[in-house]
Amino acid sequence: MEFNDVIRNRYSVRKFTDEEVSQELIDEILEAGRIAPSGNNSQPTVVYLLDDEQILKLKESSKTKETRISPAAFKSKQAFLICYDKTRELRRPTDKFAFGITDSTIVTTYMMLKITELGLGAVWVGYFNPISVKDVLGLPVNHEVSAILPFGHIHKSSKPDPKATRKPIEKFVMEWGSK
């Protein structure tokens, strides 16, 4: 699939089959994330592969308003949990801006696009309580959760959201000065 096809065909897939993705394809997805750029090549991103059991733990913990996770996180049998190591993230010297979330977001994007290229689907989940997720899964203190990326084989009933349009280019690009 050509790159333009990948970026145009990608959509948030929320319906998956029960078929698990092979380890070979998972390795390809992980490799795409591994080679993503990071600030000063600090590579703070850490990716966990969640299976059915871990996804169920998250679902069970998501019963209260404080621990709620977007339902999209529970629609697949497999998911990636994207984190970054706070002890490895680059901090900009001038204002101490921390790049961990930026770097892990780039990794998530690379992985999501690879998933699309492979003919699979994924949905980026950002609605969750990171403290609850860390507690339930027993993550190290220095790992910050930035995204949950459920993925899998796309169910035949899955279709792109027809309301998910993009703003026109004229509203996307801002120009300095007057014409």
Side-chain angles (χ1 to χ4, degrees):
M1 190 181 300
E2 294 289 324
F3 183 71
N4 280 337
D5 295 329
V6 171
I7 60 175
R8 291 195 188 284
N9 290 328
R10 190 221 59 85
Y11 69 96
S12 293
V13 175
R14 292 181 173 85
K15 292 181 183 175
F16 302 92
T17 69
D18 285 337
E19 180 185 357
E20 289 196 8
V21 174
S22 71
Q23 189 61 52
E24 180 182 335
L25 295 181
I26 289 170
D27 290 345
E28 285 189 49
I29 297 162
L30 290 169
E31 179 63 11
R34 187 187 72 79
I35 64 172
S38 62
N40 204 35
N41 198 30
S42 59
Q43 302 179 49
T45 305
V46 178
V47 179
Y48 294 92
L49 176 61
L50 304 182
D51 60 20
D52 234 356
E53 183 180 318
Q54 290 149 329
I55 293 169
L56 183 60
K57 278 184 185 179
L58 286 177
K59 186 175 186 175
E60 289 302 313
S61 74
S62 185
K63 301 286 187 201
T64 69
K65 187 177 181 180
E66 293 78 31
T67 60
R68 188 170 185 288
I69 300 173
S70 170
F74 312 121
K75 302 291 184 175
S76 70
K77 296 178 75 69
Q78 297 165 289
F80 293 112
L81 182 71
I82 317 295
C83 303
Y84 61 93
D85 183 337
K86 292 186 298 187
T87 65
R88 293 186 54 91
E89 69 182 330
L90 173 68
R91 290 194 174 268
R92 187 167 46 211
T94 54
D95 62 358
K96 304 300 180 215
F97 176 83
F99 283 89
I101 190 74
T102 304
D103 293 339
S104 63
T105 297
I106 295 168
V107 167
T108 307
T109 302
Y110 271 47
M111 291 172 66
M112 189 174 52
L113 293 174
K114 184 64 176 183
I115 288 167
T116 301
E117 181 198 37
L118 293 171
L120 303 170
V123 58
W124 187 312
V125 175
Y127 189 101
F128 53 83
N129 179 323
I131 295 168
S132 175
V133 171
K134 286 174 70 168
D135 287 347
V136 168
L137 297 176
L139 300 181
V141 165
N142 56 312
H143 288 186
E144 291 296 326
V145 182
S146 61
I148 302 171
L149 192 62
F151 67 96
H153 294 276
I154 302 170
H155 192 275
K156 64 183 175 188
S157 67
S158 180
K159 302 283 184 246
D161 181 351
K163 297 177 286 197
T165 59
R166 298 289 181 230
K167 61 185 171 185
I169 193 77
E170 304 81 40
K171 295 197 182 221
F172 177 72
V173 177
M174 294 301 188
E175 294 185 25
W176 293 104
S178 60
K179 283 191 165 191

